[in-house]
Amino acid sequence: MTMQPTLFEGSKRLVYDDAIELTLQSMQAYGPEHENWGIAWSGGKDSSATLTLIIHLIDVGKLKPPKSLTVFYADTRLELPPLAIAAERIMEQLAARGIRCEVVRAPLDKRFMVYILGRGVPPPNNNTLRWCTRQIKIDPMAAALEARINEFDGKILMITGVREGESAIRDKRITMSCGKDGAECGQGWYQEVLPNAKGIRGRIATLAPLLHWRVCNIWDWLRIYAPMIEYGGWFTAAIADAYGGDEAEEKNARTGCAGCPLASKDMALDTIVAMPAWSHLAPLKRLKPLWRKLREPENRLRKAGLERLKNGSVAANPQRMGPLTFEARLMGLETVLSIQAECNAEAIRLGRPLLDILNPEEEERIRELIAAETWPQGWDGDEPTADTPMDTIFADGSVQPLFL
Ligand code: SF4
């Protein structure tokens, strides 16, 4: 980014580079068509840059303010702690400006930990069972939006932090973000899936005004410009630091939940725990292996044979692996609790903020669901564990006996 704030005849003059000018143009073109705007904010680098820049442009009169502006902060309950803390501070800054900010969370039973450890649904993976983004981000966002839209007539313009860089724009390629390095999980879904969500279909338009920004534009804005009083004095430098400070430009880390089972590497978490100020969070590194372990056959049930579905047809995948056993869920719960306790014992010793990935309400609900012997839909709990040797049954009903 080449912009340089300059002092011009004693008064401060704001200078914007081409990337910001293009953002401004797209906001000026599409913004006035809508009276009500919303900003989908995950606390990650792209959506934080989007949020703070749009508000700055309104603050300095470059952008006509909408009739209403609502910021929707997506809180998965698994946010990386430095990002969660930066988000808290930015929310205070939004409140001081009188901007409405809603914290959007999944209902208790649908939250990541409760769904896995209480209900017994296996941790998500990239292949067969990718339920998390929709459940902990998109559906709660759609519900919050629906409630907000119902407060006024007409549509809402939802501004997202989707960013693809220049080459992708040339290729007209917008991906779903979740599986891509450098992207914020969920942003692409906000752009592509949200407009068609039940209850709000036809009532939202989406705009990604930083679509063309390169990652270096993002770092410059978050680290250098946004924190300056004349650009808003935002608490965004901590976000860039959380991605690796001066090396952040090189790293281009993907953000999402701590210990995300779908990311190939825990890059953002690795970067954070490598910093002395956050090294006490190292036990969080055990989350990803925990999710992997819980997916293993000895921790799950399996259908013994052909499965008859409600409509009378036969399921395509006989002997599929299913939910977590109660023992596995309790083991998972104890592991998560001990990870949190270890982090917090060190946090207290060092005078650092406490980690909160599993609160007492969530723990109680998990124990309640286990005590009530809850199984996901389609499972009774009397199925064998998935490591039980059994004949192989094929979709056409043919059987290959087990040879012992
Ligand atoms: S970051 Fe990972 S765990 Fe979190 S919603 Fe996205 S894919 Fe799921």
Side-chain angles (χ1 to χ4, degrees), residues 76 112 124 130 132-133 136-137 178 185 254-257 260-262:
T76 57
F112 193 86
R130 181 174 159 176
C132 51
T133 313
I136 65 178
K137 293 190 170 181
C178 222
C185 166
R254 171 192 185 279
T255 6
C257 303
C260 166
L262 276 74

Side-chain angles (χ1 to χ4, degrees), residues 43 73 77-89 235 238-239 242 255-259 268-269 272-273 277-278 280-282 284 287 343-344 352-357:
Y73 173 55
R77 298 281 299 118
L78 286 168
E79 301 303 317
L80 294 161
L83 294 181
I85 291 164
E88 288 286 333
R89 297 288 299 274
F235 193 78
I239 298 173
T255 6
C257 303
L269 185 58
I272 286 165
V273 302
W278 299 106
H280 61 285
L281 296 176
L284 278 174
L287 279 178
C343 290
N344 285 342
R352 303 287 296 146
L354 294 183
L355 175 73
D356 171 20
I357 51 170

Side-chain angles (χ1 to χ4, degrees), residues 38 128 173 189 243 245 252 258 329 343 375 389:
T128 50
R173 181 164 44 92
W189 294 59
Y243 284 87
N252 190 16
R329 295 184 220 178
C343 290
W375 295 99

